[in-house]
Amino acid sequence: MTLDKLLEKLTYTVVSGNVQTQITDVIYDSRKVVPGCAFVCLVGSAVNGHKFASAAVAAGAAAVITSEDTELDNTAAAVIRVQDTRVALAYMSAAYFGNPAEELTTIGITGTKGKTTTTALIRSILEHGGIKTGTIGTLGIIIGDKLIKTANTTPESYEIQRALREMVNEGCRCCVMEASSLGIKWHRTDGFVFDYGIFTNFSHDHIGGVEHPTMEDYMSCKAQLFRQCREGIFNIDDPAWKNMCENCTCTVETYGCSENAQLRAENAALLSRPGYLGVHFDVSGVLNMPVDVAIPGMFTVHNALAAIAVCRHLNVSREAICDGLKNVLVKGRVEIVKVPGEYTLIIDYAHNAVSMENILSTLREYNPARLITLFGAGGNRPRDRRFEMGEISGRLSDLSVVTEDNSRFEDVNDIIADIVVGVRKSGGNYVTIPDRTDAIRYCMENAGAGDIVVLAGKGHEDYMDKNGKKTHYDERDVIQSIIQTM
């Protein structure tokens, strides 16, 4: 593809060279430059890609895309000046992969909480309705049975466009993407228009450091999604929804429990039996039907409503909606694992005080015989987190089983000792078992009828980070191995 075709939707200045030159790839990491590529100089919080422009040309780059002055004098490579190289990367990547979003129905989800769960709910409904769907988010890029791990919830725009093209090639008709505030801020979601945008909720998060300087910036970035989509679907129960759609360019549709919502939930109730926790509610408004959702907690109602709100536009049956919600599985997010016995075993990613309080408070609503929480804390992280997690588990759990979790370069026993300080402060019951597998076995062997056991911290992770080395560790495999020996 020629350079001018890659730049077709951008405003640019030719500093030097020929825009008719052939381009073999679009690269933004100077270590991955290949002969004939276009190198895009991204400006990050720690690294400025313009410093590597000369090295990229020396390695064979045929073009360099800049937003600042560089030391590229008398070079054979084309030098192109744009206002923002992140925007340029997004549009160039879309063009390079043939604008794959135009061949898919694209759904973007933004909000402080609920993005991963809502993504899984939508995918489950659509696939039960015969619509093959790929997803991009916290769990990685999922296409069929293939999982591609990513460093960020919303990957760099090149990775997004490459994934969209692969989805098309694999027969997907839809893509659901978690549009994080930072992904939007850094233009990773530029280069195409979402068919649908969903707002879940808004609360304090990602403030400070290299993220958002203020809550206003955080909200503004999220709101940008609704100037990048055709139809916006908003949670009317969240006070921030009006700010989100204040300057939107999309059509507006609402969901929630409020009587003013176009799609409403009524008569919500918890569902509980050994090995199954969920919610039931009646959908009313623009669609009327009862549904059961296989994810515990009243917060699930809003996530499920969001999924229903978008899927009803995509020609799926009521039966597919019901089946998709009833059989959904979100890896590492209140994930129930089938085990023999009359107790319920859950894997969850809760790894800090806020997330732990959320999950344990939710499970308390189901009135378990005992709530048993297994958890540890990450090494080489602020110690305060350990005290806080210990205190919350001690207060909300009937038994805390304190163990290891990515101790990194610290002694796991030192981390456990810190956690125990918090547990003791709450007056809660606890045991300490440094080896996580032994701790899981202890929980499974001692769980009784009506108990809920939570394995907190690892969630979707499939590794243990210890002494500077990551080794494979998937709690699902551990559980099955224990079952075989019980």
Side-chain angles (χ1 to χ4, degrees):
M1 182 178 290
T2 56
L3 180 60
D4 62 327
K5 293 297 182 183
L6 292 175
L7 299 169
E8 201 165 38
K9 295 183 179 180
L10 293 165
T11 299
Y12 62 92
T13 300
V14 180
V15 178
S16 64
N18 184 357
V19 293
Q20 299 299 318
T21 188
Q22 288 287 333
I23 300 298
T24 59
D25 203 347
V26 179
I27 302 294
Y28 61 91
D29 184 338
S30 62
R31 296 166 297 184
K32 298 180 181 179
V33 166
V34 294
C37 75
F39 176 66
V40 183
C41 302
L42 297 187
V43 180
S45 58
V47 179
N48 188 334
H50 291 82
K51 295 180 179 180
F52 304 102
S54 297
V57 172
V64 179
I65 315 302
T66 72
S67 59
E68 301 175 1
D69 292 334
T70 61
E71 298 178 356
L72 293 175
D73 298 324
N74 302 317
T75 178
V79 180
I80 305 297
R81 186 72 172 260
V82 297
Q83 183 174 356
D84 191 317
T85 50
R86 288 190 175 276
V87 174
L89 177 65
Y91 280 92
M92 292 175 70
S93 298
Y96 179 75
F97 287 105
N99 297 302
E102 296 176 3
E103 302 173 58
L104 294 161
T105 296
T106 50
I107 301 166
I109 304 174
T110 198
T112 304
K113 294 177 286 189
K115 296 186 295 295
T116 302
T117 299
T118 304
T119 295
L121 287 164
I122 294 171
R123 180 175 188 250
S124 183
I125 291 172
L126 294 179
E127 298 227 323
H128 275 85
I131 300 174
K132 188 172 182 179
T133 301
T135 63
I136 301 174
T138 303
L139 302 181
I141 297 167
I142 300 174
I143 307 172
D145 295 327
K146 180 164 64 174
L147 170 63
I148 303 167
K149 294 183 179 181
T150 55
N152 301 296
T153 294
T154 308
E156 195 53 77
S157 55
Y158 181 92
E159 277 67 47
I160 288 176
Q161 295 298 331
R162 180 169 59 188
L164 294 178
R165 173 49 59 195
E166 186 171 353
M167 288 177 192
V168 172
N169 293 344
E170 292 295 323
C172 292
R173 293 161 51 196
C174 184
C175 172
V176 190
M177 186 188 310
E178 295 181 46
S180 69
S181 58
L182 294 175
I184 296 170
K185 179 176 183 174
W186 293 330
H187 301 288
R188 294 171 182 166
T189 59
D190 283 18
F192 67 101
V193 176
F194 286 97
D195 293 296
Y196 299 92
I198 296 174
F199 167 64
T200 60
N201 51 66
F202 184 82
S203 59
H204 190 279
D205 201 4
H206 300 294
I207 307 301
V210 299
E211 298 186 303
H212 299 283
T214 63
M215 286 287 283
E216 289 74 21
D217 181 73
Y218 180 39
M219 181 178 290
S220 176
C221 289
K222 288 191 173 298
Q224 180 61 37
L225 175 64
F226 303 101
R227 294 187 286 277
Q228 294 177 227
C229 69
R230 297 183 176 90
E231 297 190 45
I233 299 173
F234 299 84
N235 174 10
I236 198 174
D237 294 336
D238 192 290
W241 86 274
K242 288 186 177 180
N243 299 90
M244 286 293 152
C245 65
E246 188 174 14
N247 297 306
C248 68
T249 57
C250 59
T251 60
V252 174
E253 183 177 312
T254 61
Y255 69 92
C257 298
S258 166
E259 62 181 13
N260 297 319
Q262 292 167 273
L263 187 74
R264 299 185 297 278
E266 299 175 345
N267 306 317
L270 301 176
L271 299 175
S272 177
R273 59 180 181 270
Y276 183 92
L277 301 175
V279 294
H280 166 89
F281 62 92
D282 297 323
V283 182
S284 63
V286 292
L287 188 66
N288 294 276
M289 58 189 295
V291 296
D292 293 343
V293 190
I295 300 174
M298 283 301 182
F299 64 85
T300 296
V301 173
H302 281 95
N303 294 334
L305 269 180
I308 296 168
V310 69
C311 289
R312 76 180 189 87
H313 290 284
L314 302 180
N315 197 31
V316 294
S317 67
R318 294 184 179 209
E319 181 181 10
I321 292 174
C322 287
D323 289 345
L325 296 177
K326 186 169 59 178
N327 297 292
V328 67
L329 175 67
V330 188
K331 188 174 184 180
R333 297 299 194 278
V334 204
E335 177 188 349
I336 296 176
V337 182
K338 292 183 178 180
V339 291
E342 295 297 308
Y343 68 97
T344 301
L345 180 61
I346 293 172
I347 293 175
D348 192 79
Y349 189 49
H351 60 287
N352 57 40
V354 173
S355 57
M356 180 168 283
E357 185 162 22
N358 286 340
I359 180 64
L360 297 184
S361 297
T362 293
L363 296 176
R364 269 285 167 212
E365 296 176 356
Y366 286 85
N367 297 314
R370 289 188 304 166
L371 180 55
I372 302 171
T373 306
L374 176 150
F375 70 104
N380 303 107
R381 298 292 186 269
R383 293 179 67 196
D384 286 353
R385 296 182 184 179
R386 306 168 190 177
F387 306 140
E388 292 168 354
M389 291 173 68
E391 186 172 354
I392 286 169
S393 180
R395 174 166 51 86
L396 294 174
S397 306
D398 295 292
L399 176 64
S400 296
V401 180
V402 187
T403 187
E404 63 181 327
D405 186 352
N406 294 340
S407 55
R408 299 185 175 90
F409 292 99
E410 285 194 68
D411 187 322
V412 66
N413 291 299
D414 292 339
I415 298 173
I416 289 174
D418 286 340
I419 295 172
V420 167
V421 171
V423 179
R424 285 177 173 168
K425 183 178 179 181
S426 71
N429 296 319
Y430 71 94
V431 296
T432 62
I433 305 175
D435 182 87
R436 195 174 182 99
T437 298
D438 290 343
I440 293 173
R441 180 183 296 277
Y442 173 87
C443 289
M444 294 175 66
E445 290 179 344
N446 288 278
D451 289 348
I452 296 177
V453 178
V454 186
L455 310 184
K458 300 303 291 179
H460 60 279
E461 290 181 354
D462 61 359
Y463 64 87
M464 187 72 77
D465 189 343
K466 195 172 182 179
N467 298 322
K469 183 179 180 181
K470 287 185 177 180
T471 55
H472 178 76
Y473 193 88
D474 190 321
E475 289 185 321
R476 295 149 199 82
D477 298 337
V478 173
I479 291 166
Q480 294 309 311
S481 177
I482 292 172
I483 289 173
Q484 292 173 8
T485 60
M486 289 179 69

